[in-house]
Amino acid sequence: MFTPPFTFTPEQERFRQEVRELLRVQCREDLVRARRARPWRHPDLTYRRLGERGWLAPDWPTEYGGLGLSIVESAIVAEEMALAGVPDSARVNTVDNAGSTLLEAGTDEQKARFLPAMAAAERLFVVLYSEPDAGSDLGGLATHAEREGDGWRLSGEKIWNVGANKAEYGICLARTGEGKSKYAGLSLFLVPLHVDGVRIGEIPGFNPEAFDHIVFDDVRLPADALVGAEGEAWQLVNEVLAVERTGVYFYGHAQRWLDLLTRFELPARAVSDVRALRADLPAARLLTWHAVDLLSRGEDAAAAAAAAKWWTSELTSRVAALVWSVREAFTGHEQVVARRPAAADRVDGLPTDDVELTTALSEAPGLTVAGGTSEMMLATVSAALFDEALEVA
């Protein structure tokens, strides 16, 4: 069925301008300091300022630190953060994934205990899904939780997590039983990360934020650590991941990196490449907001979100490839661009924009994996198209 293009209400446009102004003016100094200390380090002050206004999770109920708005406003914040260059992994993990899971399936006690602090950026979470031997197929995970008394014992390994040392809790997918498929018998748990039996190690790599390897060695969990129904987490995980897969933040990356490139004097060939990539941005944004629109109306957005995630994350990789080619064109220079920015635009001798563009080279590859690989997204779209063809037939 044809769906008219998504449009924002006047109130949503005003909300966007307010968020943009906060990020542009009030948080700019903090962003520069964060980049100087470590590019893409979690900018605590920026998150706190968003949280103070209820903007970190504007779609959450007011009693949990939100504004009682919709997922549209939440996506507006995500898009504006990306366009402003604010690192987003802490928000995605804490709000979009862990927080959305608690909102959907948590008990009243769990919501009251965790959500207000998450919305205020006072408590960070990580998502503990992937494992060393499971690859992108979570149905193959081996981490397991066994009942012990009135609680649980958790054992296993998780990998490719970001920010585990800074987070207090993780939301962990573990096997608690078996069923007719490999996706049956999976459950979600709230796991404290700084207790006996939890070991967190850093994985060397080129990602701008270090990945972690977490080992659980018979970690004791109370009965109320279980989120949702035992053995029925698979559908919940997929519903929550649809929010991340809308691709709003991925699109914002591509837009920002292209904007940064065009501030500098580029070779003629690069100018032509930038123009070609810019032509793909409207399609990327349309896909993302179509998926957000479906979610806001309570419709099935799995295929739309998968398509948006695939297109936008692959677009970021194409932009990063252009950044690399520009850098190669200026062999012998530390900067990826030709001109020398003004002193006010420099941090520790390097242009701030160049630091961010250089970081794009190591960040872009991971975006095609985070939230589901490009191959998985294409498979999701193909399956949806096949089902639709069967219905028509």
Side-chain angles (χ1 to χ4, degrees), residues 316-338:
T316 62
S317 289
R318 290 159 54 201
V319 175
L322 175 58
V323 173
W324 179 261
S325 68
V326 171
R327 187 187 186 99
E328 290 293 285
F330 293 100
T331 303
H333 295 268
E334 291 298 323
Q335 288 82 7
V336 302
V337 292

Side-chain angles (χ1 to χ4, degrees), residues 128-355:
L128 305 174
Y129 292 170
S130 300
E131 298 190 0
D133 297 323
S136 297
D137 186 359
L138 295 179
L141 62 80
T143 295
H144 61 278
E146 299 178 354
R147 286 192 175 275
E148 182 179 84
D150 62 349
W152 303 82
R153 282 282 182 180
L154 179 70
S155 296
E157 299 179 60
K158 296 294 179 178
I159 203 168
W160 312 129
N161 316 288
V162 170
N165 282 311
K166 297 190 287 287
E168 292 184 56
Y169 279 81
I171 187 156
C172 180
L173 188 64
R175 189 169 297 283
T176 54
E178 302 296 334
K180 294 181 179 179
S181 79
K182 60 183 179 181
Y183 302 108
L186 300 179
S187 303
L188 283 169
F189 294 90
L190 295 171
V191 182
L193 297 178
H194 305 287
V195 297
D196 291 342
V198 179
R199 301 197 306 273
I200 302 174
E202 188 172 298
I203 303 173
F206 61 83
N207 194 58
E209 292 180 301
F211 286 120
D212 301 310
H213 178 203
I214 304 177
V215 177
F216 301 113
D217 186 8
D218 285 334
V219 178
R220 182 77 167 83
L221 299 176
D224 62 3
L226 179 68
V227 180
E230 178 184 347
E232 299 181 9
W234 182 244
Q235 182 176 352
L236 178 61
V237 167
N238 278 280
E239 291 174 356
V240 171
L241 282 176
V243 177
E244 180 181 354
R245 289 174 178 173
T246 58
V248 170
Y249 194 69
F250 303 115
Y251 154 77
H253 265 310
Q255 175 75 68
R256 178 171 176 81
W257 293 343
L258 283 174
D259 287 346
L260 293 180
L261 267 179
T262 55
R263 294 180 186 180
F264 302 93
E265 182 180 342
L266 301 174
R269 178 177 56 79
V271 172
S272 177
D273 290 339
V274 167
R275 188 179 301 114
L277 287 168
R278 279 197 179 281
D280 286 338
L281 284 173
R285 193 166 191 260
L286 184 62
L287 284 170
T288 63
W289 283 103
H290 172 60
V292 171
D293 184 34
L294 290 177
L295 288 172
S296 72
R297 292 189 276 115
E299 298 185 19
D300 183 4
K309 199 274 174 182
W310 168 72
W311 179 260
T312 54
S313 63
E314 290 293 331
L315 180 59
T316 62
S317 289
R318 290 159 54 201
V319 175
L322 175 58
V323 173
W324 179 261
S325 68
V326 171
R327 187 187 186 99
E328 290 293 285
F330 293 100
T331 303
H333 295 268
E334 291 298 323
Q335 288 82 7
V336 302
V337 292
R339 75 169 178 84
R340 294 172 60 85
D345 295 330
R346 301 177 72 82
V347 175
D348 295 338
L350 288 175
T352 56
D353 290 340
D354 178 55
V355 172

Side-chain angles (χ1 to χ4, degrees), residues 15 53-55 57-70 73:
F15 178 74
R53 293 161 173 79
W55 291 354
D59 55 322
W60 290 8
T62 54
E63 63 263 38
Y64 299 138
L67 298 176
L69 299 176
S70 73
E73 283 79 11

